[in-house]
Amino acid sequence: GLWVCVVVGVIVFGAMFYSMFAHSRARHPTPAKFHESALVETIWTIIPVLILIGVAIPATNTLRDIEDNSDSDITILITASQWKWHYQYVDAGIGFYSKLATPQAQIYGLEPKGEHYLLEVDNPLVIPTNKKVRFLTASNDVIHSWWLPDFAVKQDAVPGFINEAWTRVPEPGVFRGQCTELCGKDHAFMPIVVEVIPEEEFDSWLSDQRVAMALASESAVADRQKTWAMNELVPQGEAVYI
């Protein structure tokens, strides 16, 4: 598509500059007297139509591929809320929240800003290399937007509606983005971090996550059944509210 546009531009501007030079008043002080040509009119109507058709066919195929979310290897439900992301691996049955990890001291200028200031999270989204990953975006409250420029993915997260996108990343790496919809007072503190790891490492990571979730569930059940003493509850309350 780009090279077609370049060729068309060269031809159009070349013809324009040639006409300005070859048919200037200095070269032809007496203007020519002729009427329109049906053949010329037909030619310069048909050629642009053929060019547009030639550009439209590959562009349509590309757009169709961009929107084709079928045959994905992994499906991840991304649910936004003020002001964090929840990632649910639909087929694997695991999920977790991801929120800003930049210390408050840096935000208030009490400490020097880190390398990834406001673009770091406690739990990054992890996906494997060379797999088609399908993203489903939704929201629990207001409209958010999941934007990862390196993946060319920017999808609004709308309450009661699911948007779709997909990516396939060939190389491992860490990629960062942000919420790009004005979603409230902490809109600037809602970063996105995606860690891409090799396929074999991803399988091990999934197994570890399943074990961690099982242990957390067992611990939560034990905590609910336990009779807590006041001296055990006070430090937990202070950690939350102070």
Side-chain angles (χ1 to χ4, degrees):
L2 173 62
W3 289 112
V4 173
C5 293
V6 170
V7 171
V8 171
V10 170
I11 293 174
V12 170
F13 283 103
M16 183 178 70
F17 289 128
Y18 170 78
S19 297
M20 292 168 60
F21 173 77
H23 303 288
S24 65
R25 185 174 183 179
R27 290 180 172 272
H28 299 280
T30 302
K33 295 181 181 180
F34 58 87
H35 292 281
E36 67 277 357
S37 168
L39 177 61
V40 173
E41 294 280 355
T42 303
I43 290 174
W44 70 30
T45 300
I46 292 176
I47 291 178
V49 170
L50 295 176
I51 292 173
L52 288 174
I53 293 174
V55 172
I57 292 174
T60 301
N61 290 333
T62 300
L63 288 173
R64 184 182 62 188
D65 292 339
I66 290 174
E67 298 298 330
D68 182 12
N69 297 291
S70 62
D71 300 324
S72 59
D73 300 298
I74 298 171
T75 299
I76 299 174
L77 174 61
I78 303 170
T79 305
S81 57
Q82 295 173 314
W83 288 268
K84 56 186 176 293
W85 303 97
H86 184 268
Y87 299 119
Q88 180 73 36
Y89 294 73
V90 175
D91 300 320
I94 64 171
F96 53 85
Y97 283 97
S98 177
K99 61 182 185 297
L100 178 71
T102 298
Q104 291 289 322
Q106 291 185 21
I107 295 174
Y108 293 119
L110 303 177
E111 293 180 357
K113 305 260 188 306
E115 178 184 1
H116 300 298
Y117 175 69
L118 297 185
L119 290 175
E120 51 196 339
V121 299
D122 54 354
N123 295 309
L125 176 64
V126 179
I127 62 174
T129 57
N130 301 311
K131 293 290 186 180
K132 185 174 183 179
V133 182
R134 178 189 182 203
F135 301 120
L136 307 176
T137 56
S139 173
N140 278 336
D141 38 47
V142 300
I143 299 177
H144 301 265
S145 186
W146 199 82
W147 177 57
L148 207 66
D150 290 304
F151 291 0
V153 172
K154 183 179 184 294
Q155 283 289 353
D156 283 349
V158 182
F161 191 82
I162 293 180
N163 283 319
E164 297 183 68
W166 67 272
T167 191
R168 190 193 306 272
V169 187
E171 299 291 338
V174 177
F175 305 91
R176 302 177 190 274
Q178 291 175 296
C179 174
T180 51
E181 191 74 41
L182 186 57
C183 58
K185 71 179 185 65
D186 285 346
H187 160 68
F189 308 136
M190 198 170 170
I192 300 161
V193 179
V194 177
E195 183 178 352
V196 182
I197 60 178
E199 297 174 52
E200 58 276 8
E201 292 184 22
F202 179 75
D203 293 336
S204 299
W205 179 85
L206 277 181
S207 299
D208 293 342
Q209 292 298 310
R210 291 191 185 98
V211 171
M213 287 188 64
L215 293 175
S217 178
E218 293 176 2
S219 177
V221 171
D223 288 345
R224 287 196 299 268
Q225 295 175 345
K226 177 180 177 180
T227 301
W228 293 83
M230 183 60 69
N231 61 348
E232 294 176 306
L233 294 173
V234 169
Q236 295 189 42
E238 290 177 346
V240 174
Y241 294 104
I242 295 179

